[in-house]
Amino acid sequence: MVQKYQSPVRIYKYPFELVMAAYEKRFPTCPQIPVFLGSEVLSEFRSADGAVHVVERSCRLRVEAPRLLRKIAGVEHVVFVQRNVLNWKERTLLIEAHNETFASRVVVKENCSYTVHPENEEWTCFEQSASLDIRSFFGFESALEKIAMKQYTANVKKGKEVIEHYLNELISQGTSHIPRWTPAPVREEDTHSQTRLKDPCFLEVGRSGGAQNPVPETVGADGDKLDADYIERCLGHLTPMQESCLIQLRHWLQETHKGKIPKDEHILRFLRARDFHLDRAREMLCQSLSWRKQHQVDLLLQTWRPPALLEEFYAGGWHYQDIDGRPLYVLRLGHMDTKGLMKAVGEEVLLQHVPSVNEEGQKRCEGNTKQFGRPISSWTCLVDLEGLSLRHLWRPGVKALLRMIEVVEDNYPETLGRLLIVRAPRVFPVLWTLISPFINENTRQKFLIYSGSNYQGPGGLVDYLDKEVIPDFLGGECLCNVPEGGLVPKSLYLTEEDQEHEDQLRQWRETYQSASVHRGAPHEVAVEILDRESVITWDFDILRGDVVFSLYHTKQAPKSGPREPGARACGQLTDEGWALDADYSRVEDPLVCREGESIQGSHVTRWPGVYLLQWQMHSPPGHAACSLPGMEDVLTALHSPGPRCKLLYYYEVLASEDFRGSMSSLESCTSRFSQLSAATSSSSSQSHSSSLISR
C-alpha cells in the first residue's frame, strides 16, 4: 500500500528572495537537522539571463532505526537525489527528491514548492507532498513503514524551524532585504541554451534512472488551500500526518462531492472518530452527507420549530459554557416524562429534535471559537438524573434513546467533549447496562458519573464549571432557564386514529407480549436463571382491570417450563400441589397495579433456578385468592364469562458479566413504583394514590 502525505500551506511572512537566501544556508550541511549528514552537487545549470538556476544534489541521511534493522539492511545511511529548479523571474522554487538506496525495494518520492503568497507578494508559501511505497524489505515492511513515516513527519516539523532559524540569523547579520531579480542582456550564443532550458524535457536531464516525478500536488485553487496558521488558530494542534489527512479528505470532497462542502471542523471530527484512518473516515463522512441531504439537515436551524408541547415538557437547553469555553447543554432527564412525550408528540418528532440540538451546538462552538480566540469544536453536556426511576426503563423509550444515540454517533462524532452525570440514582446501572454497548468507547471515556451529592465540592462540578454558571437546582447561584419538564397530561396524548401514532403502536406491540388474566387464572412467565447474580427487568402496562404482580422462585421447573436459560413459557404453569415456602418462595412482595398504570421494575437474583413473573386478577378485600391457583380454578375461570384483565408486558434478563454497575445498588429498589410513575397514574384517578410506593 502506498502511504501519502500532503502538508498544509505554511506561510513565511518574509519576501521570497529572503526565504531563498535562508534555504541555501541549509547546504551542504545543516547542524539543525541531525539526520542530514551532508550533500554534494551532482550537476548545476544557470540560464544566460540568470533567471533559472537548476541544481541536482546527492544527500545523505542517517537511518534512525533499531540496530537489528540497520544490521539486516547493511547500511547506516541512505542516499536521496534532490533536484531544485529555482526561477527568480516567476519567484518559485520546485523541489523533487527520490531515494537511490534500496530503490528496487522502497520507493520514496517528495515534491515541495516555495511560491509567492497570492494575496501578499511580500510573503512566501511552502507546500510539501510525499509518497512511500514499500515493495519488500526482508520481512520488515510494516516496521519500516512506521519508522519512515514517523521520521518523515518529525523532519517536516523541523524544516520550518530551520528556515525560521536562518531567517533570524540573516536579519541579525543585517540582511533584511534582497532585491528582486531583473533581466540581464542576453548574448546571441546563449540563445540555444535558453531554448533548451524552456523545453520541459530539458529539466529532466541528469536525473538518476530518468524517472519523472510530477510537480507538487496542490489542494485546489489558491482560495481553497489550508494554511498552517489557520489550522493552528481555528482547528487546534495537529500532527503533520493529521494535517495531511485533513487536506487529502478536503481535496477529495472538492473534486467529487456535488453538494455543500462541510466545514473543516466537521471533516476533522470524522477523521478523529476513525483515528485518522483516511478510507474509514471518508466512508463514514459520505454516509453522513447522504443522511444530511435526505433529511435536509443543512436547513434545519432555519426550518425546524419544535412543537409547543415539546418546548414545555422537554427538559433540556443551552446554558452558558464550561470552564474550557465549551458550550454547555443541560438535560434534566430525571424530570422528563419520556413516555408521555413519546405518546404526545411521537418518536419521530423527538428524533428530529436531536439533530437540531447538535446543529445548534456546532454553531455555538464556532461562536465560542471566535469569542475566546482558540479552537472549540465540542460541547459539554450536564445530565441531572434526580427523579430517574424504573419508569424510564419503558422499552419503547429505551429503544428511541438508542436510535438517538445512533444518529449522534453516526453523524456528529467527536462533538461531545465531556458528559457530566449528576445525582445518579440506584436504578441508573440498569439503564446504563442497556445503552452503554451502543456508545462508542471513545465517547464512554468522556463520561463522569456522580451519585448522591458527591458532585459538590472539589473533584465535582467546580472542576469543570465556573461557580457562576452552576445551575441553581444543583446548589449553584445561576438561574437556569431550562424547562423543568414534568408529567405530560394524558389528555395531550396522540389518538390511535393518527396514522403516525398507529405506526408507533405497531412498533410497541412488536416489542411487547399481550396477555389476558381471568379470575382464578393468572398469567405466568417462567425464566430459568443459571447465574445467581443476574438482573431480571420488567415493563408492563395494565390496559384493563386491576392486577396483582408477584415474583416467585422455585428450584424445580414448572410444567411446560423452559429448557434453555432465558427462555420463557407462558400461561398457568404452576402445579396445584405446590406449597408456598416449600416448593416455591416469594422473592418480591405483591404489587397492586391499577388500570392505566405503567410499571417498570427489576430484581437481582440471589439463587439459580426458575423465576416466575405472575399477574393475577386483583380481588377485593375479603376475597383474596391464593398465591398459585389450582388447575380446577383455572379451568373454571377460563370457561366462565366473568370479568378479565388485559396487559402488555416485556421482560429482559441481564447477565452479571454484562451488567455495568453495582448489584447491591439495585437491592433496595427492585420492583416498587417510583414517585414519577405513581404520580402519572394518580393524575388520572384519585383512587390510584395507594400505589405511591417508592424505595
Side-chain angles (χ1 to χ4, degrees):
M1 178 180 176
V2 179
Q3 282 273 18
K4 293 184 178 180
Y5 170 81
Q6 173 69 57
S7 78
V9 179
R10 304 190 186 279
I11 298 175
Y12 300 98
K13 297 182 179 181
Y14 298 94
F16 176 81
E17 290 72 20
L18 191 62
V19 173
M20 289 300 98
Y23 176 79
E24 286 298 322
K25 294 178 77 67
R26 294 177 49 174
F27 303 101
T29 60
C30 183
Q32 282 73 28
I33 306 180
V35 298
F36 183 54
L37 300 178
S39 64
E40 59 178 301
V41 176
L42 300 178
S43 63
E44 187 172 5
F45 176 84
R46 292 181 187 273
S47 64
D49 60 359
V52 178
H53 183 198
V54 181
V55 180
E56 190 169 88
R57 295 183 177 91
S58 175
C59 304
R60 292 177 292 113
L61 303 179
R62 185 172 67 245
V63 178
E64 291 191 343
R67 185 175 179 275
L68 175 61
L69 190 57
R70 296 201 309 269
K71 186 175 181 180
I72 292 174
V75 297
E76 291 295 328
H77 69 268
V78 294
V79 176
F80 277 73
V81 174
Q82 182 193 76
R83 191 165 185 276
N84 295 357
V85 179
L86 174 60
N87 191 320
W88 291 110
K89 181 180 179 180
E90 302 294 336
R91 302 179 78 192
T92 61
L93 172 63
L94 304 182
I95 305 169
E96 299 176 355
H98 66 275
N99 64 305
E100 280 198 336
T101 307
F102 300 118
S104 62
R105 295 178 178 272
V106 180
V107 179
V108 180
K109 295 181 180 180
E110 181 183 43
N111 298 279
C112 306
S113 68
Y114 288 87
T115 57
V116 177
H117 193 284
E119 298 178 3
N120 189 335
E121 62 180 15
E122 296 301 314
W123 290 358
T124 304
C125 298
F126 172 74
E127 287 186 78
Q128 186 174 18
S129 64
S131 64
L132 170 66
D133 183 9
I134 302 176
R135 297 168 181 173
S136 65
F137 201 78
F138 314 106
F140 289 89
E141 291 81 9
S142 179
L144 179 63
E145 180 180 319
K146 293 178 181 178
I147 293 171
M149 296 311 294
K150 180 179 179 181
Q151 184 170 325
Y152 183 80
T153 53
N155 292 338
V156 167
K157 183 178 180 181
K158 190 71 176 176
K160 184 179 181 181
E161 296 174 359
V162 170
I163 294 295
E164 290 176 340
H165 166 79
Y166 285 125
L167 283 168
N168 293 331
E169 184 178 280
L170 285 169
I171 293 172
S172 66
Q173 294 171 353
T175 304
S176 59
H177 175 74
I178 297 177
R180 295 186 186 180
W181 174 87
T182 54
V186 181
R187 295 176 301 171
E188 185 176 346
E189 56 268 28
D190 293 329
T191 304
H192 179 62
S193 297
Q194 291 186 22
T195 303
R196 292 178 60 210
L197 184 61
K198 294 177 182 178
D199 185 351
C201 297
F202 173 78
L203 298 179
E204 303 298 326
V205 174
R207 177 169 307 169
S208 175
Q212 295 188 8
N213 288 344
V215 296
E217 296 180 6
T218 60
V219 240
D222 289 338
D224 292 331
K225 294 180 180 179
L226 295 180
D227 68 72
D229 292 340
Y230 158 78
I231 291 176
E232 189 77 24
R233 184 178 67 256
C234 299
L235 304 180
H237 174 72
L238 300 176
T239 68
M241 287 308 299
Q242 290 172 344
E243 290 176 339
S244 174
C245 289
L246 173 61
I247 292 169
Q248 290 183 65
L249 185 52
R250 187 175 186 266
H251 187 198
W252 179 83
L253 286 171
Q254 289 169 341
E255 290 186 335
T256 62
H257 185 58
K258 296 181 180 179
K260 179 181 177 182
I261 301 297
K263 295 182 179 179
D264 299 323
E265 300 92 324
H266 196 64
I267 299 174
L268 191 57
R269 290 187 180 108
F270 286 85
L271 285 166
R272 284 176 171 147
R274 291 297 178 262
D275 296 323
F276 286 89
H277 190 289
L278 196 57
D279 291 337
R280 288 188 292 175
R282 181 189 295 122
E283 180 183 0
M284 183 184 185
L285 179 56
C286 286
Q287 292 175 352
S288 178
L289 290 175
S290 176
W291 171 84
R292 294 181 69 88
K293 181 179 180 180
Q294 177 184 353
H295 297 280
Q296 298 184 327
V297 177
D298 289 334
L299 302 175
L300 203 58
L301 291 181
Q302 292 77 36
T303 59
W304 166 251
R305 292 294 179 270
L309 192 149
L310 189 63
E311 289 186 321
E312 180 180 355
F313 292 99
Y314 185 85
W318 295 98
H319 178 77
Y320 299 100
Q321 56 270 330
D322 71 1
I323 203 168
D324 297 317
R326 295 188 184 103
L328 177 63
Y329 190 82
V330 175
L331 181 64
R332 304 187 71 177
L333 183 59
H335 283 228
M336 194 155 59
D337 182 9
T338 53
K339 181 175 182 178
L341 277 174
M342 284 186 63
K343 288 196 171 186
V345 301
E347 182 177 338
E348 293 305 318
V349 172
L350 288 175
L351 287 172
Q352 194 172 5
H353 187 58
V354 171
S356 71
V357 171
N358 282 269
E359 291 294 311
E360 176 67 23
Q362 290 185 154
K363 182 180 178 182
R364 288 174 177 263
C365 285
E366 294 172 11
N368 285 18
T369 295
K370 296 177 182 178
Q371 179 181 348
F372 297 108
R374 61 179 184 274
I376 296 173
S377 60
S378 60
W379 53 84
T380 291
C381 187
L382 173 61
V383 181
D384 179 23
L385 294 184
E386 183 191 50
L388 187 80
S389 66
L390 298 173
R391 175 182 173 84
H392 289 84
L393 298 181
W394 183 58
R395 285 315 184 275
V398 173
K399 287 189 174 183
L401 178 59
L402 294 179
R403 285 186 65 189
M404 295 175 191
I405 291 173
E406 183 180 16
V407 168
V408 175
E409 291 278 295
D410 290 346
N411 301 287
Y412 300 95
E414 298 298 318
T415 52
L416 181 66
R418 185 180 294 120
L419 181 67
L420 303 171
I421 298 177
V422 298
R423 300 200 282 194
R426 291 171 173 173
V427 74
F428 173 68
V430 178
L431 181 62
W432 181 239
T433 300
L434 295 173
I435 67 173
S436 59
F438 299 91
I439 301 175
N440 181 275
E441 177 62 31
N442 291 338
T443 304
R444 289 204 301 267
Q445 293 177 358
K446 301 172 184 177
F447 283 42
L448 295 170
I449 302 172
Y450 300 91
S451 61
S453 60
N454 62 358
Y455 64 90
Q456 300 173 339
L461 292 183
V462 292
D463 285 9
Y464 307 102
L465 306 178
D466 289 326
K467 292 182 178 180
E468 293 77 14
V469 304
I470 295 178
D472 49 355
F473 60 84
L474 293 177
E477 300 178 357
C478 185
L479 178 63
C480 184
N481 293 320
V482 172
E484 295 184 3
L487 297 167
V488 179
K490 290 186 177 181
S491 60
L492 298 178
Y493 286 5
L494 293 171
T495 63
E496 292 192 16
E497 287 72 23
D498 189 298
Q499 182 60 44
E500 181 181 4
H501 191 45
E502 283 287 350
D503 293 340
Q504 202 169 77
L505 287 174
R506 177 183 52 78
Q507 295 173 6
W508 294 349
R509 285 165 180 159
E510 288 175 355
T511 301
Y512 288 82
Q513 300 289 326
S514 62
S516 295
V517 179
H518 298 265
R519 188 174 306 281
H523 182 80
E524 295 172 346
V525 175
V527 183
E528 184 174 3
I529 299 295
L530 300 180
D531 188 340
R532 70 180 186 88
E533 285 195 339
S534 297
V535 179
I536 304 174
T537 67
W538 53 84
D539 175 7
F540 58 90
D541 286 2
I542 309 301
L543 304 181
R544 183 192 302 169
D546 300 339
V547 301
V548 178
F549 174 73
S550 302
L551 182 65
Y552 299 97
H553 170 263
T554 177
K555 294 182 179 179
Q556 56 181 314
K559 62 180 186 296
S560 303
R563 297 183 178 180
E564 296 180 1
R568 65 179 178 84
C570 305
Q572 171 67 39
L573 304 176
T574 51
D575 192 285
E576 62 178 342
W578 284 12
L580 186 63
D581 297 328
D583 300 297
Y584 66 99
S585 59
R586 180 184 287 118
V587 293
E588 288 290 337
D589 293 335
L591 180 67
V592 177
C593 308
R594 305 294 183 180
E595 181 176 321
E597 289 183 346
S598 178
I599 313 297
Q600 293 79 34
S602 62
H603 175 80
V604 181
T605 62
R606 296 177 181 272
W607 315 280
V610 177
Y611 286 77
L612 295 173
L613 286 73
Q614 183 198 76
W615 294 267
Q616 63 177 331
M617 185 173 289
H618 176 56
S619 301
H623 297 85
C626 62
S627 298
L628 298 177
M631 186 56 65
E632 293 182 1
D633 297 326
V634 174
L635 293 174
T636 301
L638 291 175
H639 291 87
S640 300
R644 64 172 183 166
C645 302
K646 193 170 184 178
L647 63 118
L648 292 174
Y649 70 91
Y650 173 90
Y651 85 97
E652 186 173 3
V653 177
L654 307 176
S656 59
E657 63 267 20
D658 298 328
F659 188 73
R660 301 171 184 267
S662 169
M663 287 292 181
S664 60
S665 68
L666 296 177
E667 305 241 345
S668 60
C669 60
T670 50
S671 68
R672 295 303 189 190
F673 254 147
S674 67
Q675 292 286 359
L676 179 58
S677 177
T680 305
S681 305
S682 62
S683 65
S684 61
S685 174
Q686 292 298 324
S687 63
H688 294 164
S689 61
S690 61
S691 295
L692 285 168
I693 306 172
S694 177
R695 62 177 180 179

